Amino acid sequence: MTKTSQHNVSNAERALLVGVGWKRAARFPGMPAGEQGRVSLAELVELAKSAGAEIVGTVFQVRDSADSATLVGRGKLDEIRAEANAHQAPLIIFDSNLSPVQQRNIEELTERRVIDRTQLILDIFARHARSREGQLQVELAQLNYMLPRLTGKGTAMSRLGGKSGGGGAGGAGGAGRIGVRGPGEKKLETDRRRIRDRVSKIQTGIADLRKQRALRREARNAVPLGTIALVGYTNAGKSTLFNALSQAEVLVSARMFATLDPTIRAVRLPSNRRVLVSDTVGFIRDLPKSLLSAFRATLEEVQEAALILHVSDISNAHHDELDEEVLKILEELGVADRPILRVLNKVDRLTAEERESLKANCKGKMEHDDGPVLVSALTGEGIDELLRRIDVALPTDPLVSLSLRLPLSQGRTLALIHALGRVLRSEVEDEDMLLDAEVPVSIARRLRLSDYVVEGTSKLALT
């Protein structure tokens, strides 16, 4: 079963996209065979656009199983080659992850440059990484991807050069067939050794940057604040929501993976508590584990979070399936048991009937503060309710009322009380500051405010 669709052509790099659906693949109830492959191919179109490609067409095939040599079979490759010739597309992008053998065979039979889904995502990550660690992680993932695909071509990198034993390149006892003698494995092994050396240097550099980040986190944790991580499928609107919560100006883009490096901002909740909110990289189906490790910097914020906001694009017809992909990755990160608050974003895109139906389905749970929160990060609808629900969901850190006398020399402590608590009254008396304030218990303990209590609070409450 095949399907070919046309797209507008421009002067950008032309690319033909190839998707494969599997008849026996697990699917959601009511979803026809191969539908997941079609949805994934539509996602590949967006990925390719994010990489700067001009899509000249898509080819789709439904198969029982993958062809070990070419994935789609030689007959289908002839059709793909004809499509690429017709549209003058020098690049073919496969939605599946190709083995090194499959990639080489397809390139030879189509006479085109061929990349797979993983290589495309790596290219997008390379475009968007801004921090030094992000750039190193991308290069590391690219080199690890390239290493098993490095192969010799011609005599310059021939793997058949030199002497060989019986049945080898030179036949029984021969010293190598005519025309293939040469440096043989030498250049190939030199290239591999260079890659391995570069990988080792990158890993050392990443380890050093990780130590620096751990020190920064330790300094940040010197004053304990609840941490919240935004996670969700790519393009769910996390960065827009992050901006709405924190009044920050993080890049918002319709392109996939526009946010790679972690961004952290402080947000004040209705109870006057301050928390740290972190925006993270968007997840995507079939994300290779090498890419998960490649973005440890942003995903570490998820692992450190006291609360995870799982953001879904409720206007996407396949949002349930995409949510399942996000949960799989959270399980791989070992944080699936962390408190998770579901946020259904982009309700402004729903029709009136869809919105009423959604509210009716969520009504019972929402009344008990254990259901999803409906928001539109773009218009600001539901943001106040989301902040309230975050306040409820975060581990309890009750406020304690204190009357304090602090020396004016304790400037840092005074500043933190103003920043992390609520000062009700203050006046200067001689060289001291008299304060009536409400402060989270954890902050009061960390700042040892029991040493400065005058009246109104038992010191036992702070020990």
Side-chain angles (χ1 to χ4, degrees), residues 210-228:
R210 233 173 246 165
K211 291 177 183 177
Q212 296 173 15
R213 192 171 64 253
L215 291 175
R216 289 195 297 270
R217 182 181 292 111
E218 184 178 341
R220 193 167 69 230
N221 291 341
V223 178
L225 294 178
T227 55
I228 301 168

Side-chain angles (χ1 to χ4, degrees), residues 264-301:
I264 301 173
R265 295 289 185 273
V267 174
R268 190 175 290 276
L269 300 178
S271 67
N272 209 42
R273 287 191 293 174
R274 287 186 67 187
V275 296
L276 296 178
V277 179
S278 172
D279 192 16
T280 66
V281 63
F283 297 160
I284 194 167
R285 76 182 80 227
D286 300 325
L287 185 67
K289 290 186 177 180
S290 62
L291 294 185
L292 274 178
S293 60
F295 292 93
R296 192 181 300 272
T298 186
L299 297 177
E300 274 184 2
E301 302 302 333

Side-chain angles (χ1 to χ4, degrees), residues 55 66 112 139 193 218 220 245 254 301 333 352 365 402:
I55 314 305
R112 293 289 188 280
E139 185 181 356
R193 183 166 56 253
E218 184 178 341
R220 193 167 69 230
L245 289 172
E301 302 302 333
L333 293 173
K365 289 185 176 181
L402 302 172

